[in-house]
Amino acid sequence: MGSLTEATLKALAGARSFERGRGYLDVVSGVEVGDDWVTATVHGTERYAVELTLGGSAGPNGECDCPYGLEGNFCKHLVALGLTVLAQRESLPRQRKAARDRAEDLDAWLSGLSKDQLLVLVREQITEDRQLRRRLELRAASASGDLAGVRARIRELLDIGPFAQYGYVEYADARAYADQAGQAVSAIGVLTGSGRAADAITLAREAVRLLAEAVESVDDSGGWLGQVGADLADTHLQACRAARPDPEELARWLVGHVLGDFDDLTDIDPLDYEDVLGEPGMTVLQRLAVEAWRGNRTGWAEKYLMERLAKAGGDIDAVIAVHAADLADNGHTHLVIAHELDSAGRPDEALRWAERGVAEARDSSAVDSALIDYLCERYARADRLPDAVDLRRDQFRARRTLPAYQQLRAAARAADCWPAEREGALALLRTDAGRRERGWYGGPLLVDALLDDKDVDAAWQAAAENGAHDRQWLTLADLARAVRPADALGVYLRLAEPLTKQTGNAVYQQLVSLLLNIRDCHRSLGTPDEFAEHVTTLRTAQKRKRNLLRLMEEHGL
């Protein structure tokens, strides 16, 4: 409870929802308090069920079945409940105790009922609660050994029909469907617990297929079906551990599952079954995995399975072979192999693979930048600084960007050869500027590189000769204002002119910022009267823009 505050609620909901939640305090009803949760009904456009969780390491959280809440947001109804809880914080311990007392009284009452009385009560409930009736029907079918009946009911629970409009389950209905699918998984687990693990394996595999088919038609943005799939995978594993099926058959099923179309949801890992498969099953699993990979060396699932088995067996050469069979053109796979070899304590081989990645790349401009970074780091550690410079130079020539220029500069400075490298790099950028090639932010990269070198005079000259983006001119004017006030003034006036024809507070902020810079220039030039006249003319022309005039007044303009 200590972590629940108004500030926490505002952070969870956002300022707008928090303020709107204040207006719903009078329509919170039916508050029930548990040890670390509070539930209530909040009457908005409709009646919404709201639950606020107070415990947990992540702090307060909540769920609401309003449309906004179903999208995973902390809505205004949750805010209203949270504020209600804060208002009643003094009485919460008493309410919790009352809830425990009621639960104990209910348990004592139920314990005192006869079998016939309990049956009457249960029958009343299953008449009113369809979900409870389905769960109990599953239990009954399981207890009677009616496998066909259990299978039929599981199929019903996994059928999207009752939740789908036009054949698709929308987000608002996905959680209800997931809850129902979860009942099917629970029923399969009950079979294992009642000594019928072999049947549980059969039904779990059918459920995997049905759920995988269903998820294609469900908006599972909330991840509820993903959790059901994980639970189903665990249920299948526990059933296999209990029933101990034929290891070779299990190995074939696992490989087929991983390579098939149904693995995305359950994400079954064959290595989790190693204790069930034993040596015979693992042998078959490895043989089938190798056969599948040799038949399709570029298949993602085949590569994943082979890599998992190779890593589990500590066979680094097999892992490398899997990656080497499908090398990316940009050297990324070479980098993956290099990291694997580094982890295996084979750095020399790792370096050779990384160098191959650069040498074998089809397009030097597309080489994975992480691969180049890796090689430069290795060269630096080995005191091969000229090699790092060569690599950064090639990278810059292939992809002339400001980051590539900065990386070349860092490498060349480390190797004590930056002046010569800079001259060559700037020569390339001057050629680009002459062709009017744009840089990383719209203007010639030459200007950005010179600015990054803190060579303002050279950057100004390059901009004057080859043109520049307004962003570049503004940076130049800001940097040169103290020593070149007249030049800076011309830039500021040019940039301010189009803003006078626009509206909006963001525009006014930009214009006022430029006016302050213009004022500084006039002060440096000793022409404050010219600035005063400029401001008077501007105020007259912009007199209808009250927000602009107010902002100018706030800044003494």
Side-chain angles (χ1 to χ4, degrees):
M1 176 64 191
S3 60
L4 182 68
T5 64
E6 287 197 12
T8 304
L9 292 172
K10 191 171 185 177
L12 288 168
R16 186 166 181 267
S17 288
F18 179 79
E19 291 302 323
R20 294 181 70 186
R22 289 183 181 277
Y24 282 77
L25 292 176
D26 294 336
V27 292
V28 178
S29 63
V31 177
E32 292 190 19
V33 181
D35 287 336
D36 60 357
W37 53 264
V38 181
T39 62
T41 298
V42 179
H43 299 262
T45 308
E46 299 180 15
R47 295 177 57 190
Y48 298 117
V50 185
E51 179 172 343
L52 188 64
T53 304
L54 304 177
S57 58
N61 208 334
E63 296 180 356
C64 177
D65 60 0
C66 73
Y68 190 60
L70 286 173
E71 293 177 359
N73 299 297
F74 198 92
C75 65
K76 59 190 178 185
H77 308 112
L78 281 164
V79 171
L81 177 55
L83 293 173
T84 300
V85 170
L86 289 174
Q88 300 175 1
R89 71 170 70 220
E90 299 299 330
S91 66
L92 284 181
R94 176 177 53 77
Q95 293 183 63
R96 286 198 181 100
K97 182 179 183 305
R100 293 192 194 103
D101 291 343
R102 289 195 299 272
E104 291 173 2
D105 291 345
L106 176 60
D107 185 67
W109 176 69
L110 289 172
S111 299
L113 295 178
S114 67
K115 175 183 176 181
D116 289 340
Q117 290 172 319
L118 285 171
L119 284 173
V120 169
L121 184 61
V122 171
R123 286 168 181 150
E124 287 177 356
Q125 291 303 307
I126 62 177
T127 300
E128 298 175 2
D129 189 334
R130 184 165 59 93
Q131 300 297 341
L132 175 61
R133 174 174 57 78
R134 283 186 168 179
R135 289 198 297 270
L136 293 179
E137 285 174 347
L138 269 172
R139 294 286 184 94
S142 299
S144 66
D146 181 8
L147 183 61
V150 175
R151 177 182 282 114
R153 285 165 178 78
I154 287 176
R155 286 177 172 273
E156 288 178 9
L157 291 172
L158 296 177
D159 179 18
I160 67 169
F163 301 89
Q165 292 185 1
Y166 311 110
Y168 188 79
V169 180
E170 301 289 345
Y171 179 85
D173 299 313
R175 184 171 184 178
Y177 172 72
D179 289 342
Q180 183 170 294
Q183 295 173 25
V185 176
S186 298
I188 296 170
V190 168
L191 286 173
T192 299
S194 62
R196 299 178 58 195
D199 289 340
I201 293 173
T202 300
L203 293 179
R205 293 181 183 181
E206 289 186 22
V208 165
R209 176 178 56 81
L210 293 171
L211 194 61
E213 293 172 352
V215 76
E216 297 297 323
S217 302
V218 179
D219 181 351
D220 191 37
S221 303
W224 297 301
L225 271 188
Q227 183 58 53
V228 173
D231 293 342
L232 179 56
D234 185 64
T235 297
H236 179 262
L237 175 59
Q238 298 309 320
C240 289
R241 285 175 172 164
R244 296 287 165 174
D246 176 77
E248 295 188 11
E249 186 278 331
L250 176 59
R252 285 191 290 273
W253 184 84
L254 288 170
V255 172
H257 175 78
V258 172
L259 301 182
D261 298 327
F262 305 136
D263 188 47
D264 289 345
L265 188 65
T266 53
D267 197 23
I268 288 176
D269 187 346
L271 291 178
D272 290 340
Y273 292 76
E274 188 171 1
D275 58 324
V276 182
L277 291 166
E279 186 176 344
M282 287 300 295
T283 300
V284 173
L285 185 70
Q286 290 167 348
R287 175 175 57 80
L288 294 174
V290 170
E291 289 176 359
W293 174 66
R294 286 176 176 169
N296 184 17
R297 291 176 186 263
T298 61
W300 184 91
E302 288 82 359
K303 288 167 58 178
Y304 168 78
L305 181 57
M306 270 296 295
E307 184 183 354
R308 289 283 294 126
L309 291 172
K311 282 187 177 181
D315 190 348
I316 184 64
D317 291 311
V319 174
I320 293 169
V322 171
H323 292 300
D326 185 29
L327 294 171
D329 293 340
N330 67 349
H332 174 73
T333 319
H334 296 77
L335 178 61
V336 172
I337 293 173
H339 284 314
E340 294 286 356
L341 287 165
D342 278 332
S343 298
R346 294 157 62 175
D348 292 341
E349 293 176 72
L351 181 59
R352 286 195 292 272
W353 267 102
E355 290 174 330
R356 277 184 56 185
V358 174
E360 296 174 1
R362 293 185 182 179
D363 181 358
S364 57
S365 67
V367 175
D368 189 343
S369 59
L371 174 61
I372 297 175
D373 293 342
Y374 171 88
L375 277 170
C376 288
E377 182 183 351
R378 288 292 305 270
Y379 290 154
R381 280 192 275 141
D383 200 25
R384 294 173 56 183
L385 299 180
D387 290 333
V389 173
D390 290 342
L391 196 58
R392 290 301 189 190
R393 185 191 308 117
D394 291 342
Q395 179 189 28
F396 176 72
R397 288 175 175 174
R399 287 181 294 189
R400 288 195 279 283
T401 64
L402 183 61
Y405 181 83
Q406 293 166 332
Q407 289 164 334
L408 172 60
R409 182 178 61 203
R413 281 177 173 170
D416 199 24
C417 62
W418 175 231
E421 288 297 332
R422 181 176 189 257
E423 184 177 344
L426 292 178
L428 287 174
L429 295 181
R430 288 191 180 93
T431 300
D432 291 344
R435 299 187 186 126
R436 294 293 190 270
E437 291 190 14
R438 295 295 179 179
W440 69 284
Y441 206 117
L445 180 59
L446 174 63
V447 175
D448 288 319
L450 291 168
L451 284 171
D452 202 64
D453 283 340
K454 305 295 188 293
D455 193 345
V456 178
D457 288 338
W460 192 289
Q461 182 179 349
E465 292 175 353
N466 302 291
H469 187 272
D470 284 348
R471 174 197 59 83
Q472 294 171 320
W473 275 119
L474 180 59
T475 302
L476 284 166
D478 289 343
L479 293 172
R481 186 169 67 225
V483 295
R484 305 174 67 161
D487 291 335
L489 176 60
V491 172
Y492 292 138
L493 289 171
R494 181 180 64 78
L495 295 178
E497 177 59 27
L499 296 180
T500 62
K501 299 177 175 60
Q502 302 175 37
T503 59
N505 290 334
V507 172
Y508 301 154
Q509 290 280 0
Q510 295 177 51
L511 181 55
V512 168
S513 178
L514 288 170
L515 286 172
L516 293 172
N517 291 337
I518 291 170
R519 182 177 65 184
D520 289 345
C521 291
H522 276 293
R523 285 174 176 173
S524 297
L525 293 168
T527 55
D529 292 342
E530 286 186 27
F531 177 69
E533 183 179 349
H534 177 75
V535 170
T536 300
T537 302
L538 181 65
R539 280 180 167 277
T540 301
Q542 307 292 320
K543 61 183 179 181
R544 295 183 180 276
K545 299 176 180 177
R546 289 176 293 178
N547 286 353
L548 171 60
L549 297 181
R550 184 176 68 250
L551 194 61
M552 291 174 65
E553 289 173 1
E554 289 175 0
H555 288 81
L557 297 172

